[in-house]
Amino acid sequence: MHLLIPSKAYLEVIVDSREASTAKHIVDEIKRLGALTRIGFLEAGDYIVSRDIAIERKTVSDFISTLTRRNLFEQLSKLKENFSKPIMILEGDVSSIPMISSINMNAVLGALASVARMGISVIPSPSPSATARLIVSLARQERKIEQQSRIRVKAVKKGDISEEQIFFMCGLPMIGRERAEAILRVYRTPLEALKRVDG
């Protein structure tokens, strides 16, 4: 499956086109909070905030509906297959379920336990506005982690590079670590060593 991934250059949230049409108030709030949005057809999830995190948003009534239709776990399995940190936001008051549905509360709690056992985090949200803030907060945290990771990659020490060179030289026949270090002290790089060393 081809995945849309948010830009690393700026704060961006990708929104499923169906979610964008039914939850315009959330998309507008995400924009108001400073994140750009890109609308696209998503095969898994409603929002993508990074390469690792996608979010399935369920209102309490949506959750009950997908539970009774038995397609909840199919949707969440797709999320789990494609993202290393899948999240389900459960929006609304779970305690109101007995008032809006005849479904047994134990079945609801059992379903939530099963979702957690799948390795999918369940985050409660009291309102659409809170959902938007949660999504933007996750996007900010992920972007910060990605930026820190890029800084660490840029700050590689020269010693680390020589360690890679030693590892490469040790892969050659009859070259141990001591001999590799001795050769590199003389020739500086594996390429120069291979050009000049005979036998």
Side-chain angles (χ1 to χ4, degrees), residues 21-32:
S21 65
T22 58
K24 188 175 181 300
H25 49 301
I26 292 178
V27 178
D28 288 344
E29 182 68 5
I30 287 170
K31 291 176 184 174
R32 194 190 69 75

Side-chain angles (χ1 to χ4, degrees), residues 7-83:
S7 169
K8 292 180 181 178
Y10 42 81
L11 190 65
E12 182 182 45
V13 175
I14 297 174
V15 186
D16 179 59
S17 51
R18 293 153 298 185
E19 175 75 2
S21 65
T22 58
K24 188 175 181 300
H25 49 301
I26 292 178
V27 178
D28 288 344
E29 182 68 5
I30 287 170
K31 291 176 184 174
R32 194 190 69 75
L33 291 166
L36 295 172
T37 58
R38 184 162 29 125
I39 311 300
F41 175 75
L42 303 183
E43 292 183 47
D46 296 316
Y47 302 89
I48 299 175
V49 299
S50 74
R51 185 173 294 279
D52 296 321
I53 295 182
I55 300 158
E56 181 75 28
R57 180 184 76 96
K58 294 287 182 200
T59 63
V60 166
S61 59
D62 287 339
F63 181 74
I64 293 166
S65 176
T66 54
L67 195 57
T68 53
R69 290 200 311 267
R70 300 184 182 277
N71 62 346
L72 172 69
F73 293 102
E74 184 183 329
Q75 291 174 351
L76 296 180
S77 290
K78 278 187 184 177
L79 204 65
K80 175 79 175 167
E81 283 168 16
N82 291 285
F83 295 91

Side-chain angles (χ1 to χ4, degrees), residues 179-195:
R179 194 168 183 195
E181 287 176 347
I183 291 169
L184 287 169
R185 273 196 295 273
V186 175
Y187 296 106
R188 296 184 163 221
T189 70
L191 181 61
E192 286 302 309
L194 292 171
K195 279 182 186 174

Side-chain angles (χ1 to χ4, degrees), residues 9 13 34 38-39 46 49 53 69-70 76-77 92 94 98-100 119 135 137 144 148 160 166 168-169 177 190:
V13 175
R38 184 162 29 125
I39 311 300
D46 296 316
V49 299
I53 295 182
R69 290 200 311 267
R70 300 184 182 277
L76 296 180
S77 290
V94 176
M99 291 177 272
I100 61 174
I135 291 166
S137 179
K144 195 173 189 180
Q148 288 171 345
D160 294 332
I166 291 166
F168 172 81
M169 292 298 292
R177 185 180 179 91

Side-chain angles (χ1 to χ4, degrees), residues 61-177:
S61 59
D62 287 339
F63 181 74
I64 293 166
S65 176
T66 54
L67 195 57
T68 53
R69 290 200 311 267
R70 300 184 182 277
N71 62 346
L72 172 69
F73 293 102
E74 184 183 329
Q75 291 174 351
L76 296 180
S77 290
K78 278 187 184 177
L79 204 65
K80 175 79 175 167
E81 283 168 16
N82 291 285
F83 295 91
S84 60
K85 299 173 189 171
I87 292 172
M88 183 178 80
I89 291 179
L90 185 57
E91 188 180 287
D93 184 4
V94 176
S95 67
S96 69
I97 288 174
M99 291 177 272
I100 61 174
S101 171
S102 60
I103 192 167
N104 188 297
M105 196 63 185
N106 286 337
V108 173
L109 296 174
L112 287 172
S114 295
V115 171
R117 288 185 69 245
M118 287 172 72
I120 296 172
S121 300
V122 180
I123 304 178
S125 168
S127 66
S129 174
T131 296
R133 292 198 300 274
L134 263 169
I135 291 166
V136 172
S137 179
L138 284 163
R140 283 190 205 285
Q141 289 175 13
E142 284 295 288
R143 186 161 181 260
K144 195 173 189 180
I145 289 166
E146 285 177 350
Q147 286 174 335
Q148 288 171 345
S149 177
R150 287 202 298 277
I151 290 167
R152 282 198 296 272
V153 168
K154 286 178 185 174
V156 174
K157 295 178 181 176
K158 287 185 180 178
D160 294 332
I161 295 169
S162 68
E163 197 60 40
E164 289 176 12
Q165 292 174 335
I166 291 166
F167 179 77
F168 172 81
M169 292 298 292
C170 287
L172 298 174
M174 300 183 349
I175 303 284
R177 185 180 179 91

